[in-house]
Amino acid sequence: MDLIPSFTVDHTKIVPGIYESRVDTLGEELATTFDVRMRFPNKEPAIDPAAMHTIEHLVATYLRNHEDWKDQLIYWGPMGCMTGCYIIVKGRPAPSDMYPILLEAFRYVRDYEGDVPGATPKNCGNYMMHDLPMAKWEAARYVDYLEKADKDVIFTYPTTERLVLDDEQTFYDS
Ligand SMILES: [Zn+2]
């Protein structure tokens, strides 16, 4: 079995950001999958599954109701490794085109008050596994990161040494 493309990216060099993960052709149409990376893989703790579940519900709700994006969105959901999410959209927008809408969506999570949409036994397969306060905290952290981050860095998978984190720069020294 071959490694699928997203596994061949060197995860020791990935920093949080928005990356084009793959582009698929469906007949005449393109569909683009973006790696919405929220954590430094293997260098800081992954996102708690309950917080991630809530982020999934809230961002999905936001995007599926968004005038400009509801018809472009094919899929939104968390990565199994819990360090980010995937969004699949029609066409081939650039990561920088996804930046404003993702910022909007994560600000929506950050500022959200009330019941988590769809968190009921009828609408969700694990409705008690939600954590809105942590989802808001994670969203605030990611928004802050995206706003401040070097835009030359967060839209292109790292391939150069300058992006490699030294051992001294890890969040948890062993
Ligand atoms: Zn659910």
Side-chain angles (χ1 to χ4, degrees), residues 53-54 57 116 118-131:
H53 189 194
T54 301
H57 277 231
V116 177
T120 67
K122 261 192 171 174
N123 300 130
C124 175
N126 195 357
Y127 80 101
M128 290 198 289
M129 193 187 77
H130 279 279
D131 188 339

Side-chain angles (χ1 to χ4, degrees), residues 2 11 25 29 47 57 61 72 75 105 139 157 174:
D2 293 330
H11 281 67
T25 307
E29 309 295 331
I47 294 168
H57 277 231
T61 300
Q72 301 306 312
Y75 172 79
Y157 273 133
S174 51

Side-chain angles (χ1 to χ4, degrees), residues 38-131:
M38 300 173 68
R39 287 289 166 79
F40 291 85
N42 307 305
K43 290 193 165 70
E44 57 180 335
I47 294 168
D48 177 76
M52 185 63 104
H53 189 194
T54 301
I55 290 170
E56 182 209 356
H57 277 231
L58 286 171
V59 172
T61 300
Y62 187 78
L63 295 174
R64 298 274 180 213
N65 286 285
H66 195 284
E67 267 318 303
D68 298 334
W69 284 93
K70 63 183 180 189
D71 295 328
Q72 301 306 312
L73 179 67
I74 297 172
Y75 172 79
W76 160 262
M79 294 176 181
C81 63
M82 294 292 159
T83 66
C85 300
Y86 284 116
I87 182 167
I88 306 175
V89 298
K90 295 177 187 171
R92 194 180 183 181
S96 56
D97 298 325
M98 300 305 295
Y99 177 81
I101 180 62
L102 288 168
L103 259 186
E104 270 181 44
F106 278 95
R107 285 186 188 127
Y108 174 78
V109 178
R110 177 193 67 188
D111 300 335
Y112 189 83
E113 301 289 341
D115 295 334
V116 177
T120 67
K122 261 192 171 174
N123 300 130
C124 175
N126 195 357
Y127 80 101
M128 290 198 289
M129 193 187 77
H130 279 279
D131 188 339

